[in-house]
Amino acid sequence: MKNKKFKSGFVSIIGRPNVGKSTLLNQILDTKVAIVTPKAQTTRNKIQGIYTTDSEQIIFIDTPGIHKSFNELGENMNQAAYDSLDGIDAVLLMVDSTKEFSDLDQEIVDRFKKIREPKFLVLNKIDLVQNENKLNELIKHYSEINFANTIKISASNNVGI
């Protein structure tokens, strides 16, 4: 029998509230690990899900949505999201393709410029975008970050996963 090379690593899923981070995790694992609801800030702590095949094991870390915090709970949730970047092997920055780029998105971009590990831009909800130019404009806003790849998906419809 051949000696197969087994790979493993940690991947953090970061983004604003309600961009589909938990939905993506559930789709990848093909099971319900994280709560999915339209209510913002449902994920209050990091949730880990493990994807395993014969040749790999990936620990995905679902994080609270990064938002403008107005209290200690909000600050702690944002800190939990950013703390998930410690000791990772890659990070997914997940974006809702139907939303406009904001000042908070720029703050996230500025933080992501400092991350050395491979970064992937995940544009979610592409099934709801009617205009391809809008997607291209959104991608331009994130071009300050050196992404390894940009991935267009619809997590709720299991497209591009």
Side-chain angles (χ1 to χ4, degrees), residues 102-116:
S102 70
D103 291 341
L104 181 55
D105 293 313
Q106 185 60 53
E107 289 176 30
I108 294 169
V109 165
D110 292 340
R111 276 226 187 196
F112 265 68
K113 286 189 225 176
K114 299 171 187 169
I115 298 170
R116 291 197 168 123

Side-chain angles (χ1 to χ4, degrees), residues 4 8 14 23-25 32 38-39 42 49 69 87 97 104 106 114 116 122 139 141 143-144 154 158:
K4 291 185 180 182
S8 64
I14 298 267
T23 302
L24 174 63
L25 178 65
K32 219 165 186 180
K39 183 174 170 39
T42 301
S69 61
S97 297
L104 181 55
Q106 185 60 53
K114 299 171 187 169
R116 291 197 168 123
V122 179
I139 291 169
H141 285 293
S143 64
E144 295 178 46
S154 172
N158 201 19

Side-chain angles (χ1 to χ4, degrees), residues 37-54:
T37 175
K39 183 174 170 39
Q41 277 90 39
T42 301
T43 303
R44 294 195 172 189
N45 295 300
K46 296 180 282 187
I47 297 171
Q48 294 183 354
I50 303 171
Y51 174 83
T52 304
T53 69
D54 290 341

Side-chain angles (χ1 to χ4, degrees), residues 67-135:
H67 61 287
K68 292 271 186 207
S69 61
F70 299 102
N71 56 38
E72 192 173 343
L73 174 63
E75 290 173 20
N76 289 338
M77 290 168 58
N78 281 342
Q79 192 59 49
Y82 285 123
D83 285 350
S84 76
L85 297 171
D86 293 337
I88 58 159
D89 296 291
V91 61
L92 306 179
L93 175 56
M94 194 159 191
V95 174
D96 180 340
S97 297
T98 67
K99 303 289 185 197
E100 297 294 325
F101 190 83
S102 70
D103 291 341
L104 181 55
D105 293 313
Q106 185 60 53
E107 289 176 30
I108 294 169
V109 165
D110 292 340
R111 276 226 187 196
F112 265 68
K113 286 189 225 176
K114 299 171 187 169
I115 298 170
R116 291 197 168 123
E117 291 75 19
K119 299 170 284 292
F120 298 85
L121 179 62
V122 179
L123 299 171
N124 191 26
K125 305 182 185 182
I126 59 163
D127 54 316
L128 302 176
V129 176
Q130 304 298 322
N131 185 343
E132 187 72 23
N133 289 333
K134 183 176 181 193
L135 272 180

